[in-house]
Amino acid sequence: MFRSSPGVIRTFCGRCGTSLTYRKDGEPDSLDVTTASLDRPEGFPPRRHIWVEDKLCWVSVEDDLPQFQRGGP
Ligand SMILES: [Zn+2]
């Protein structure tokens, strides 16, 4: 467990350091999980794109999923 910023807790793999989860103190019912850290990430396809305003200029979002410039619902 690591507090990278005030009000945020991140967890990492104890062996390799891979980022596992992200949680805000004020949102106890919400937990972000790093999909690529799962054994079967293909079982959790994306449903939306968030923080689109921060994507790198060479990243192209070309599917029909909802996009949110910042964090989404
Ligand atoms: Zn690991």
Short mmCIF file of all heavy atoms in Angstrom, two decimals:
data_model
loop_
_atom_site.label_atom_id
_atom_site.label_comp_id
_atom_site.label_asym_id
_atom_site.label_seq_id
_atom_site.Cartn_x
_atom_site.Cartn_y
_atom_site.Cartn_z
N MET A 1 0.85 -1.17 0.00
CA MET A 1 0.00 0.00 0.00
C MET A 1 0.89 1.23 0.00
O MET A 1 1.90 1.27 0.69
CB MET A 1 -0.89 -0.03 1.24
CG MET A 1 -1.98 0.96 1.19
SD MET A 1 -3.30 0.69 2.41
CE MET A 1 -2.47 0.27 3.89
N PHE A 2 0.51 2.24 -0.80
CA PHE A 2 1.33 3.44 -0.94
C PHE A 2 0.44 4.64 -1.17
O PHE A 2 -0.49 4.58 -1.97
CB PHE A 2 2.27 3.26 -2.14
CG PHE A 2 3.14 4.45 -2.41
CD1 PHE A 2 4.16 4.81 -1.55
CD2 PHE A 2 2.92 5.22 -3.53
CE1 PHE A 2 4.95 5.91 -1.81
CE2 PHE A 2 3.70 6.33 -3.80
CZ PHE A 2 4.73 6.67 -2.93
N ARG A 3 0.68 5.71 -0.45
CA ARG A 3 -0.08 6.95 -0.64
C ARG A 3 0.71 7.83 -1.59
O ARG A 3 1.64 8.52 -1.19
CB ARG A 3 -0.32 7.65 0.68
CG ARG A 3 -1.38 6.98 1.51
CD ARG A 3 -1.94 7.94 2.55
NE ARG A 3 -3.02 7.32 3.27
CZ ARG A 3 -4.32 7.42 2.91
NH1 ARG A 3 -4.66 8.12 1.86
NH2 ARG A 3 -5.24 6.82 3.62
N SER A 4 0.36 7.76 -2.87
CA SER A 4 1.07 8.52 -3.88
C SER A 4 0.65 9.99 -3.86
O SER A 4 1.41 10.86 -4.27
CB SER A 4 0.83 7.94 -5.27
OG SER A 4 -0.55 7.96 -5.56
N SER A 5 -0.56 10.26 -3.41
CA SER A 5 -1.10 11.61 -3.34
C SER A 5 -2.02 11.65 -2.13
O SER A 5 -2.51 10.60 -1.70
CB SER A 5 -1.93 11.95 -4.57
OG SER A 5 -1.37 11.46 -5.74
N PRO A 6 -2.30 12.82 -1.61
CA PRO A 6 -3.25 12.90 -0.49
C PRO A 6 -4.60 12.30 -0.89
O PRO A 6 -5.12 12.59 -1.97
CB PRO A 6 -3.38 14.40 -0.23
CG PRO A 6 -2.13 15.00 -0.79
CD PRO A 6 -1.76 14.14 -1.96
N GLY A 7 -5.14 11.42 -0.06
CA GLY A 7 -6.45 10.86 -0.31
C GLY A 7 -6.48 9.71 -1.28
O GLY A 7 -7.55 9.26 -1.67
N VAL A 8 -5.34 9.20 -1.69
CA VAL A 8 -5.29 8.10 -2.66
C VAL A 8 -4.39 6.99 -2.12
O VAL A 8 -3.32 7.24 -1.60
CB VAL A 8 -4.72 8.58 -4.02
CG1 VAL A 8 -4.51 7.41 -4.95
CG2 VAL A 8 -5.64 9.62 -4.64
N ILE A 9 -4.87 5.75 -2.25
CA ILE A 9 -4.07 4.59 -1.87
C ILE A 9 -3.88 3.71 -3.09
O ILE A 9 -4.84 3.36 -3.78
CB ILE A 9 -4.75 3.77 -0.75
CG1 ILE A 9 -4.84 4.60 0.53
CG2 ILE A 9 -3.99 2.47 -0.50
CD1 ILE A 9 -5.58 3.90 1.64
N ARG A 10 -2.64 3.36 -3.37
CA ARG A 10 -2.32 2.46 -4.47
C ARG A 10 -1.70 1.19 -3.88
O ARG A 10 -0.98 1.25 -2.89
CB ARG A 10 -1.31 3.09 -5.43
CG ARG A 10 -1.83 4.30 -6.16
CD ARG A 10 -0.72 4.93 -7.00
NE ARG A 10 -1.10 6.18 -7.59
CZ ARG A 10 -1.67 6.32 -8.79
NH1 ARG A 10 -1.88 5.27 -9.54
NH2 ARG A 10 -2.00 7.50 -9.23
N THR A 11 -1.98 0.06 -4.52
CA THR A 11 -1.34 -1.18 -4.11
C THR A 11 -0.54 -1.73 -5.29
O THR A 11 -0.87 -1.47 -6.46
CB THR A 11 -2.36 -2.25 -3.63
OG1 THR A 11 -3.23 -2.58 -4.70
CG2 THR A 11 -3.16 -1.74 -2.44
N PHE A 12 0.49 -2.49 -4.94
CA PHE A 12 1.41 -3.04 -5.94
C PHE A 12 1.73 -4.49 -5.61
O PHE A 12 1.66 -4.90 -4.45
CB PHE A 12 2.72 -2.22 -5.93
CG PHE A 12 2.52 -0.77 -6.21
CD1 PHE A 12 2.25 0.12 -5.19
CD2 PHE A 12 2.58 -0.30 -7.50
CE1 PHE A 12 2.04 1.46 -5.43
CE2 PHE A 12 2.37 1.05 -7.77
CZ PHE A 12 2.10 1.94 -6.74
N CYS A 13 2.11 -5.25 -6.61
CA CYS A 13 2.55 -6.62 -6.40
C CYS A 13 3.81 -6.62 -5.54
O CYS A 13 4.75 -5.86 -5.81
CB CYS A 13 2.84 -7.29 -7.75
SG CYS A 13 3.57 -8.93 -7.60
N GLY A 14 3.82 -7.47 -4.51
CA GLY A 14 4.96 -7.54 -3.61
C GLY A 14 6.19 -8.16 -4.25
O GLY A 14 7.30 -8.03 -3.74
N ARG A 15 6.01 -8.86 -5.38
CA ARG A 15 7.16 -9.50 -6.05
C ARG A 15 7.79 -8.61 -7.11
O ARG A 15 9.00 -8.48 -7.17
CB ARG A 15 6.71 -10.79 -6.74
CG ARG A 15 6.59 -11.95 -5.84
CD ARG A 15 6.40 -13.17 -6.69
NE ARG A 15 6.28 -14.36 -5.86
CZ ARG A 15 6.01 -15.53 -6.34
NH1 ARG A 15 5.84 -15.68 -7.63
NH2 ARG A 15 5.92 -16.55 -5.55
N CYS A 16 6.94 -8.05 -7.99
CA CYS A 16 7.51 -7.35 -9.15
C CYS A 16 7.18 -5.86 -9.19
O CYS A 16 7.70 -5.14 -10.02
CB CYS A 16 7.05 -8.00 -10.45
SG CYS A 16 5.29 -7.79 -10.80
N GLY A 17 6.30 -5.40 -8.31
CA GLY A 17 5.99 -3.98 -8.25
C GLY A 17 4.89 -3.53 -9.19
O GLY A 17 4.58 -2.34 -9.25
N THR A 18 4.28 -4.46 -9.94
CA THR A 18 3.20 -4.08 -10.84
C THR A 18 2.08 -3.37 -10.09
O THR A 18 1.68 -3.81 -9.01
CB THR A 18 2.62 -5.35 -11.53
OG1 THR A 18 3.62 -5.90 -12.38
CG2 THR A 18 1.37 -5.03 -12.35
N SER A 19 1.56 -2.31 -10.65
CA SER A 19 0.44 -1.58 -10.06
C SER A 19 -0.80 -2.47 -10.09
O SER A 19 -1.15 -3.04 -11.13
CB SER A 19 0.20 -0.30 -10.87
OG SER A 19 -0.93 0.37 -10.38
N LEU A 20 -1.49 -2.60 -8.95
CA LEU A 20 -2.65 -3.48 -8.87
C LEU A 20 -3.96 -2.70 -8.71
O LEU A 20 -4.91 -2.95 -9.43
CB LEU A 20 -2.50 -4.46 -7.70
CG LEU A 20 -1.31 -5.41 -7.79
CD1 LEU A 20 -1.23 -6.26 -6.52
CD2 LEU A 20 -1.40 -6.28 -9.03
N THR A 21 -4.01 -1.80 -7.73
CA THR A 21 -5.27 -1.09 -7.47
C THR A 21 -5.03 0.38 -7.13
O THR A 21 -3.93 0.77 -6.77
CB THR A 21 -6.05 -1.72 -6.29
OG1 THR A 21 -5.30 -1.57 -5.09
CG2 THR A 21 -6.35 -3.19 -6.55
N TYR A 22 -6.13 1.13 -7.23
CA TYR A 22 -6.13 2.57 -6.94
C TYR A 22 -7.46 2.87 -6.26
O TYR A 22 -8.52 2.48 -6.76
CB TYR A 22 -6.02 3.33 -8.25
CG TYR A 22 -6.22 4.83 -8.18
CD1 TYR A 22 -5.13 5.68 -8.13
CD2 TYR A 22 -7.49 5.39 -8.18
CE1 TYR A 22 -5.29 7.06 -8.09
CE2 TYR A 22 -7.66 6.76 -8.14
CZ TYR A 22 -6.56 7.59 -8.09
OH TYR A 22 -6.72 8.94 -8.05
N ARG A 23 -7.42 3.53 -5.11
CA ARG A 23 -8.65 3.86 -4.39
C ARG A 23 -8.54 5.24 -3.77
O ARG A 23 -7.52 5.58 -3.19
CB ARG A 23 -8.92 2.84 -3.29
CG ARG A 23 -10.10 3.25 -2.40
CD ARG A 23 -10.46 2.21 -1.40
NE ARG A 23 -11.23 1.18 -2.10
CZ ARG A 23 -11.52 0.00 -1.60
NH1 ARG A 23 -11.11 -0.33 -0.41
NH2 ARG A 23 -12.21 -0.88 -2.29
N LYS A 24 -9.64 6.01 -3.91
CA LYS A 24 -9.71 7.32 -3.27
C LYS A 24 -10.38 7.15 -1.91
O LYS A 24 -11.37 6.42 -1.78
CB LYS A 24 -10.53 8.30 -4.12
CG LYS A 24 -9.84 8.74 -5.37
CD LYS A 24 -10.70 9.78 -6.07
CE LYS A 24 -10.02 10.28 -7.32
NZ LYS A 24 -10.88 11.23 -8.03
N ASP A 25 -9.87 7.86 -0.91
CA ASP A 25 -10.44 7.77 0.43
C ASP A 25 -11.92 8.12 0.45
O ASP A 25 -12.70 7.50 1.15
CB ASP A 25 -9.70 8.71 1.39
CG ASP A 25 -8.30 8.20 1.73
OD1 ASP A 25 -8.02 7.01 1.47
OD2 ASP A 25 -7.51 9.00 2.23
N GLY A 26 -12.33 9.10 -0.33
CA GLY A 26 -13.71 9.56 -0.31
C GLY A 26 -14.67 8.71 -1.12
O GLY A 26 -15.85 9.02 -1.19
N GLU A 27 -14.18 7.64 -1.76
CA GLU A 27 -15.03 6.79 -2.59
C GLU A 27 -14.83 5.32 -2.19
O GLU A 27 -14.27 4.53 -2.95
CB GLU A 27 -14.70 7.00 -4.07
CG GLU A 27 -14.92 8.42 -4.52
CD GLU A 27 -14.53 8.66 -5.98
OE1 GLU A 27 -14.32 7.67 -6.72
OE2 GLU A 27 -14.41 9.83 -6.37
N PRO A 28 -15.27 4.94 -0.98
CA PRO A 28 -15.01 3.59 -0.48
C PRO A 28 -15.66 2.48 -1.29
O PRO A 28 -15.25 1.32 -1.18
CB PRO A 28 -15.55 3.63 0.95
CG PRO A 28 -16.57 4.73 0.95
CD PRO A 28 -16.07 5.74 -0.05
N ASP A 29 -16.67 2.80 -2.10
CA ASP A 29 -17.34 1.77 -2.89
C ASP A 29 -16.74 1.62 -4.29
O ASP A 29 -17.25 0.87 -5.11
CB ASP A 29 -18.83 2.09 -3.03
CG ASP A 29 -19.55 2.04 -1.69
OD1 ASP A 29 -19.08 1.31 -0.80
OD2 ASP A 29 -20.57 2.74 -1.53
N SER A 30 -15.66 2.33 -4.57
CA SER A 30 -15.05 2.28 -5.89
C SER A 30 -13.59 1.87 -5.78
O SER A 30 -12.85 2.38 -4.94
CB SER A 30 -15.15 3.68 -6.53
OG SER A 30 -14.50 3.68 -7.78
N LEU A 31 -13.18 0.93 -6.61
CA LEU A 31 -11.79 0.45 -6.63
C LEU A 31 -11.38 0.26 -8.08
O LEU A 31 -12.02 -0.50 -8.82
CB LEU A 31 -11.66 -0.87 -5.87
CG LEU A 31 -10.28 -1.52 -5.89
CD1 LEU A 31 -9.30 -0.69 -5.06
CD2 LEU A 31 -10.36 -2.94 -5.35
N ASP A 32 -10.35 0.96 -8.52
CA ASP A 32 -9.82 0.75 -9.87
C ASP A 32 -8.81 -0.39 -9.81
O ASP A 32 -7.95 -0.41 -8.94
CB ASP A 32 -9.10 2.00 -10.37
CG ASP A 32 -10.05 3.16 -10.63
OD1 ASP A 32 -11.27 2.98 -10.48
OD2 ASP A 32 -9.56 4.24 -10.97
N VAL A 33 -8.95 -1.34 -10.73
CA VAL A 33 -8.03 -2.48 -10.81
C VAL A 33 -7.31 -2.42 -12.14
O VAL A 33 -7.93 -2.22 -13.18
CB VAL A 33 -8.80 -3.82 -10.68
CG1 VAL A 33 -7.86 -5.00 -10.82
CG2 VAL A 33 -9.56 -3.88 -9.35
N THR A 34 -6.00 -2.59 -12.11
CA THR A 34 -5.21 -2.60 -13.34
C THR A 34 -5.54 -3.87 -14.12
O THR A 34 -5.15 -4.97 -13.72
CB THR A 34 -3.71 -2.54 -13.00
OG1 THR A 34 -3.47 -1.39 -12.19
CG2 THR A 34 -2.87 -2.47 -14.27
N THR A 35 -6.27 -3.72 -15.21
CA THR A 35 -6.76 -4.88 -15.97
C THR A 35 -5.61 -5.80 -16.40
O THR A 35 -5.73 -7.02 -16.33
CB THR A 35 -7.55 -4.40 -17.21
OG1 THR A 35 -8.55 -3.48 -16.79
CG2 THR A 35 -8.20 -5.56 -17.92
N ALA A 36 -4.52 -5.21 -16.84
CA ALA A 36 -3.42 -6.03 -17.34
C ALA A 36 -2.77 -6.86 -16.24
O ALA A 36 -1.99 -7.77 -16.54
CB ALA A 36 -2.37 -5.14 -18.01
N SER A 37 -3.08 -6.59 -14.98
CA SER A 37 -2.50 -7.38 -13.88
C SER A 37 -3.30 -8.66 -13.62
O SER A 37 -2.85 -9.52 -12.85
CB SER A 37 -2.44 -6.53 -12.60
OG SER A 37 -3.74 -6.33 -12.07
N LEU A 38 -4.45 -8.81 -14.26
CA LEU A 38 -5.30 -9.97 -14.02
C LEU A 38 -4.78 -11.19 -14.79
O LEU A 38 -4.12 -11.05 -15.82
CB LEU A 38 -6.74 -9.67 -14.46
CG LEU A 38 -7.40 -8.48 -13.76
CD1 LEU A 38 -8.77 -8.20 -14.39
CD2 LEU A 38 -7.54 -8.73 -12.26
N ASP A 39 -5.11 -12.39 -14.30
CA ASP A 39 -4.70 -13.61 -15.00
C ASP A 39 -5.41 -13.74 -16.34
O ASP A 39 -4.85 -14.29 -17.28
CB ASP A 39 -5.01 -14.84 -14.14
CG ASP A 39 -4.10 -14.93 -12.92
OD1 ASP A 39 -3.01 -14.32 -12.94
OD2 ASP A 39 -4.50 -15.60 -11.96
N ARG A 40 -6.68 -13.28 -16.45
CA ARG A 40 -7.45 -13.37 -17.69
C ARG A 40 -8.04 -11.99 -18.04
O ARG A 40 -9.26 -11.80 -17.98
CB ARG A 40 -8.55 -14.42 -17.56
CG ARG A 40 -7.98 -15.85 -17.52
CD ARG A 40 -9.05 -16.91 -17.35
NE ARG A 40 -9.70 -16.83 -16.05
CZ ARG A 40 -9.16 -17.26 -14.91
NH1 ARG A 40 -7.98 -17.82 -14.90
NH2 ARG A 40 -9.81 -17.14 -13.76
N PRO A 41 -7.21 -11.05 -18.40
CA PRO A 41 -7.71 -9.69 -18.66
C PRO A 41 -8.71 -9.62 -19.82
O PRO A 41 -9.52 -8.70 -19.88
CB PRO A 41 -6.44 -8.89 -18.97
CG PRO A 41 -5.44 -9.90 -19.39
CD PRO A 41 -5.78 -11.15 -18.63
N GLU A 42 -8.68 -10.61 -20.71
CA GLU A 42 -9.62 -10.59 -21.84
C GLU A 42 -11.07 -10.72 -21.37
O GLU A 42 -12.00 -10.41 -22.11
CB GLU A 42 -9.28 -11.70 -22.85
CG GLU A 42 -9.39 -13.11 -22.32
CD GLU A 42 -8.16 -13.58 -21.54
OE1 GLU A 42 -7.16 -12.84 -21.43
OE2 GLU A 42 -8.20 -14.71 -21.03
N GLY A 43 -11.27 -11.15 -20.14
CA GLY A 43 -12.62 -11.26 -19.58
C GLY A 43 -13.20 -9.92 -19.13
O GLY A 43 -14.35 -9.86 -18.72
N PHE A 44 -12.40 -8.87 -19.22
CA PHE A 44 -12.85 -7.55 -18.77
C PHE A 44 -12.56 -6.50 -19.84
O PHE A 44 -11.69 -5.64 -19.67
CB PHE A 44 -12.17 -7.19 -17.45
CG PHE A 44 -12.49 -8.16 -16.35
CD1 PHE A 44 -11.70 -9.30 -16.16
CD2 PHE A 44 -13.61 -7.97 -15.56
CE1 PHE A 44 -12.02 -10.21 -15.17
CE2 PHE A 44 -13.93 -8.87 -14.57
CZ PHE A 44 -13.14 -10.01 -14.37
N PRO A 45 -13.27 -6.58 -20.97
CA PRO A 45 -13.02 -5.62 -22.05
C PRO A 45 -13.43 -4.21 -21.61
O PRO A 45 -14.28 -4.05 -20.73
CB PRO A 45 -13.92 -6.12 -23.19
CG PRO A 45 -15.00 -6.87 -22.50
CD PRO A 45 -14.38 -7.49 -21.29
N PRO A 46 -12.87 -3.19 -22.23
CA PRO A 46 -13.22 -1.82 -21.86
C PRO A 46 -14.67 -1.51 -22.18
O PRO A 46 -15.26 -2.05 -23.12
CB PRO A 46 -12.27 -0.97 -22.71
CG PRO A 46 -11.86 -1.85 -23.83
CD PRO A 46 -11.89 -3.25 -23.32
N ARG A 47 -15.27 -0.62 -21.36
CA ARG A 47 -16.64 -0.17 -21.57
C ARG A 47 -16.70 1.32 -21.84
O ARG A 47 -17.74 1.85 -22.21
CB ARG A 47 -17.50 -0.49 -20.33
CG ARG A 47 -17.66 -1.98 -20.14
CD ARG A 47 -18.47 -2.30 -18.92
NE ARG A 47 -17.71 -1.88 -17.73
CZ ARG A 47 -18.22 -1.78 -16.52
NH1 ARG A 47 -19.48 -2.05 -16.31
NH2 ARG A 47 -17.47 -1.42 -15.51
N ARG A 48 -15.60 2.01 -21.65
CA ARG A 48 -15.53 3.46 -21.87
C ARG A 48 -14.07 3.88 -21.86
O ARG A 48 -13.19 3.13 -21.44
CB ARG A 48 -16.28 4.19 -20.76
CG ARG A 48 -15.64 3.92 -19.42
CD ARG A 48 -16.42 4.44 -18.28
NE ARG A 48 -15.73 4.00 -17.05
CZ ARG A 48 -16.17 4.18 -15.86
NH1 ARG A 48 -17.31 4.78 -15.68
NH2 ARG A 48 -15.50 3.76 -14.83
N HIS A 49 -13.84 5.08 -22.33
CA HIS A 49 -12.50 5.68 -22.29
C HIS A 49 -12.55 6.88 -21.37
O HIS A 49 -13.40 7.76 -21.57
CB HIS A 49 -12.05 6.12 -23.68
CG HIS A 49 -11.96 4.99 -24.66
ND1 HIS A 49 -10.91 4.11 -24.69
CD2 HIS A 49 -12.82 4.58 -25.62
CE1 HIS A 49 -11.10 3.22 -25.64
NE2 HIS A 49 -12.25 3.47 -26.22
N ILE A 50 -11.68 6.93 -20.38
CA ILE A 50 -11.65 8.07 -19.46
C ILE A 50 -10.31 8.78 -19.58
O ILE A 50 -9.34 8.23 -20.09
CB ILE A 50 -11.92 7.64 -18.00
CG1 ILE A 50 -10.88 6.65 -17.51
CG2 ILE A 50 -13.33 7.06 -17.89
CD1 ILE A 50 -10.99 6.32 -16.03
N TRP A 51 -10.29 10.02 -19.13
CA TRP A 51 -9.09 10.87 -19.18
C TRP A 51 -8.55 11.00 -20.61
O TRP A 51 -7.35 11.03 -20.83
CB TRP A 51 -8.00 10.35 -18.22
CG TRP A 51 -8.47 10.43 -16.81
CD1 TRP A 51 -8.88 9.38 -16.03
CD2 TRP A 51 -8.62 11.60 -16.00
NE1 TRP A 51 -9.29 9.85 -14.80
CE2 TRP A 51 -9.13 11.20 -14.75
CE3 TRP A 51 -8.37 12.97 -16.23
CZ2 TRP A 51 -9.39 12.11 -13.73
CZ3 TRP A 51 -8.64 13.86 -15.22
CH2 TRP A 51 -9.14 13.42 -13.98
N VAL A 52 -9.47 11.10 -21.56
CA VAL A 52 -9.09 11.23 -22.97
C VAL A 52 -8.26 12.50 -23.20
O VAL A 52 -7.37 12.52 -24.05
CB VAL A 52 -10.35 11.20 -23.87
CG1 VAL A 52 -10.00 11.48 -25.33
CG2 VAL A 52 -11.03 9.83 -23.75
N GLU A 53 -8.52 13.54 -22.42
CA GLU A 53 -7.76 14.79 -22.60
C GLU A 53 -6.27 14.60 -22.30
O GLU A 53 -5.45 15.41 -22.72
CB GLU A 53 -8.33 15.92 -21.75
CG GLU A 53 -8.06 15.77 -20.27
CD GLU A 53 -8.62 16.93 -19.44
OE1 GLU A 53 -9.47 17.68 -19.95
OE2 GLU A 53 -8.19 17.07 -18.29
N ASP A 54 -5.92 13.56 -21.60
CA ASP A 54 -4.52 13.31 -21.25
C ASP A 54 -3.84 12.28 -22.14
O ASP A 54 -2.67 11.95 -21.94
CB ASP A 54 -4.41 12.83 -19.80
CG ASP A 54 -4.75 13.93 -18.80
OD1 ASP A 54 -4.62 15.12 -19.16
OD2 ASP A 54 -5.16 13.60 -17.67
N LYS A 55 -4.56 11.76 -23.15
CA LYS A 55 -3.95 10.72 -23.98
C LYS A 55 -2.81 11.34 -24.81
O LYS A 55 -2.83 12.54 -25.13
CB LYS A 55 -4.98 10.05 -24.89
CG LYS A 55 -5.46 10.90 -26.03
CD LYS A 55 -6.42 10.11 -26.90
CE LYS A 55 -6.89 10.91 -28.06
NZ LYS A 55 -5.83 11.38 -28.95
N LEU A 56 -1.85 10.54 -25.14
CA LEU A 56 -0.75 11.01 -25.98
C LEU A 56 -1.26 11.28 -27.39
O LEU A 56 -2.21 10.63 -27.85
CB LEU A 56 0.36 9.96 -26.01
CG LEU A 56 1.01 9.68 -24.65
CD1 LEU A 56 2.01 8.53 -24.76
CD2 LEU A 56 1.68 10.93 -24.10
N CYS A 57 -0.61 12.22 -28.08
CA CYS A 57 -1.12 12.65 -29.38
C CYS A 57 -1.14 11.52 -30.41
O CYS A 57 -1.94 11.54 -31.34
CB CYS A 57 -0.33 13.84 -29.90
SG CYS A 57 1.42 13.46 -30.19
N TRP A 58 -0.30 10.51 -30.26
CA TRP A 58 -0.27 9.42 -31.23
C TRP A 58 -1.21 8.27 -30.87
O TRP A 58 -1.29 7.28 -31.58
CB TRP A 58 1.15 8.90 -31.43
CG TRP A 58 1.96 8.72 -30.17
CD1 TRP A 58 2.90 9.57 -29.67
CD2 TRP A 58 1.92 7.62 -29.25
NE1 TRP A 58 3.43 9.07 -28.51
CE2 TRP A 58 2.85 7.87 -28.23
CE3 TRP A 58 1.17 6.44 -29.20
CZ2 TRP A 58 3.05 6.99 -27.17
CZ3 TRP A 58 1.38 5.56 -28.15
CH2 TRP A 58 2.31 5.85 -27.15
N VAL A 59 -1.96 8.40 -29.78
CA VAL A 59 -2.97 7.40 -29.42
C VAL A 59 -4.27 7.76 -30.12
O VAL A 59 -4.75 8.88 -30.01
CB VAL A 59 -3.19 7.34 -27.89
CG1 VAL A 59 -4.38 6.45 -27.56
CG2 VAL A 59 -1.93 6.87 -27.18
N SER A 60 -4.82 6.82 -30.87
CA SER A 60 -6.06 7.02 -31.59
C SER A 60 -7.16 6.14 -31.00
O SER A 60 -7.00 4.92 -30.93
CB SER A 60 -5.85 6.70 -33.07
OG SER A 60 -7.05 6.88 -33.76
N VAL A 61 -8.25 6.76 -30.57
CA VAL A 61 -9.38 6.00 -30.04
C VAL A 61 -10.39 5.86 -31.17
O VAL A 61 -11.02 6.83 -31.57
CB VAL A 61 -10.01 6.71 -28.83
CG1 VAL A 61 -11.19 5.90 -28.30
CG2 VAL A 61 -8.97 6.93 -27.75
N GLU A 62 -10.52 4.65 -31.71
CA GLU A 62 -11.31 4.47 -32.92
C GLU A 62 -12.49 3.52 -32.75
O GLU A 62 -13.03 3.02 -33.74
CB GLU A 62 -10.40 3.99 -34.05
CG GLU A 62 -9.33 5.02 -34.39
CD GLU A 62 -8.42 4.57 -35.51
OE1 GLU A 62 -8.53 3.41 -35.95
OE2 GLU A 62 -7.59 5.38 -35.95
N ASP A 63 -12.88 3.24 -31.53
CA ASP A 63 -14.06 2.39 -31.35
C ASP A 63 -15.26 3.28 -31.00
O ASP A 63 -15.13 4.50 -30.98
CB ASP A 63 -13.81 1.32 -30.28
CG ASP A 63 -13.40 1.92 -28.94
OD1 ASP A 63 -13.91 3.01 -28.60
OD2 ASP A 63 -12.57 1.32 -28.25
N ASP A 64 -16.39 2.66 -30.78
CA ASP A 64 -17.61 3.43 -30.51
C ASP A 64 -17.93 3.55 -29.02
O ASP A 64 -19.04 3.94 -28.66
CB ASP A 64 -18.80 2.77 -31.23
CG ASP A 64 -18.66 2.85 -32.74
OD1 ASP A 64 -18.06 3.84 -33.22
OD2 ASP A 64 -19.14 1.94 -33.43
N LEU A 65 -17.00 3.23 -28.17
CA LEU A 65 -17.25 3.31 -26.73
C LEU A 65 -17.34 4.78 -26.30
O LEU A 65 -16.72 5.65 -26.91
CB LEU A 65 -16.12 2.62 -25.96
CG LEU A 65 -15.97 1.12 -26.19
CD1 LEU A 65 -14.75 0.60 -25.46
CD2 LEU A 65 -17.22 0.39 -25.71
N PRO A 66 -18.10 5.05 -25.24
CA PRO A 66 -18.20 6.42 -24.74
C PRO A 66 -16.82 6.94 -24.33
O PRO A 66 -16.00 6.17 -23.83
CB PRO A 66 -19.12 6.31 -23.52
CG PRO A 66 -19.79 5.00 -23.63
CD PRO A 66 -18.91 4.11 -24.46
N GLN A 67 -16.61 8.23 -24.57
CA GLN A 67 -15.35 8.86 -24.20
C GLN A 67 -15.62 10.01 -23.23
O GLN A 67 -16.59 10.74 -23.39
CB GLN A 67 -14.64 9.43 -25.44
CG GLN A 67 -14.22 8.37 -26.42
CD GLN A 67 -13.41 8.95 -27.56
OE1 GLN A 67 -12.72 9.96 -27.39
NE2 GLN A 67 -13.49 8.31 -28.71
N PHE A 68 -14.75 10.13 -22.25
CA PHE A 68 -14.85 11.20 -21.25
C PHE A 68 -13.52 11.90 -21.19
O PHE A 68 -12.48 11.26 -21.05
CB PHE A 68 -15.23 10.62 -19.88
CG PHE A 68 -16.53 9.89 -19.89
CD1 PHE A 68 -16.58 8.52 -20.17
CD2 PHE A 68 -17.72 10.57 -19.66
CE1 PHE A 68 -17.80 7.84 -20.20
CE2 PHE A 68 -18.94 9.90 -19.70
CZ PHE A 68 -18.97 8.54 -19.97
N GLN A 69 -13.56 13.23 -21.33
CA GLN A 69 -12.31 13.99 -21.32
C GLN A 69 -11.56 13.81 -20.00
O GLN A 69 -10.34 13.79 -19.97
CB GLN A 69 -12.59 15.48 -21.56
CG GLN A 69 -13.11 15.74 -22.96
CD GLN A 69 -12.16 15.21 -24.02
OE1 GLN A 69 -10.99 15.56 -24.03
NE2 GLN A 69 -12.65 14.36 -24.91
N ARG A 70 -12.31 13.71 -18.92
CA ARG A 70 -11.70 13.46 -17.61
C ARG A 70 -12.26 12.16 -17.09
O ARG A 70 -12.68 11.33 -17.86
CB ARG A 70 -11.99 14.64 -16.70
CG ARG A 70 -11.56 15.97 -17.37
CD ARG A 70 -11.41 17.04 -16.41
NE ARG A 70 -10.31 16.65 -15.54
CZ ARG A 70 -9.74 17.45 -14.66
NH1 ARG A 70 -10.16 18.67 -14.53
NH2 ARG A 70 -8.75 17.04 -13.90
N GLY A 71 -12.28 11.98 -15.76
CA GLY A 71 -12.82 10.75 -15.20
C GLY A 71 -14.29 10.61 -15.56
O GLY A 71 -15.03 11.58 -15.58
N GLY A 72 -14.71 9.42 -15.85
CA GLY A 72 -16.10 9.17 -16.22
C GLY A 72 -16.92 8.68 -15.05
O GLY A 72 -16.41 8.55 -13.94
N PRO A 73 -18.17 8.39 -15.27
CA PRO A 73 -19.05 7.90 -14.21
C PRO A 73 -18.67 6.48 -13.78
O PRO A 73 -18.05 5.76 -14.51
CB PRO A 73 -20.43 7.90 -14.87
CG PRO A 73 -20.17 7.86 -16.34
CD PRO A 73 -18.84 8.50 -16.55
ZN ZN B 1 4.11 -9.34 -9.69
#
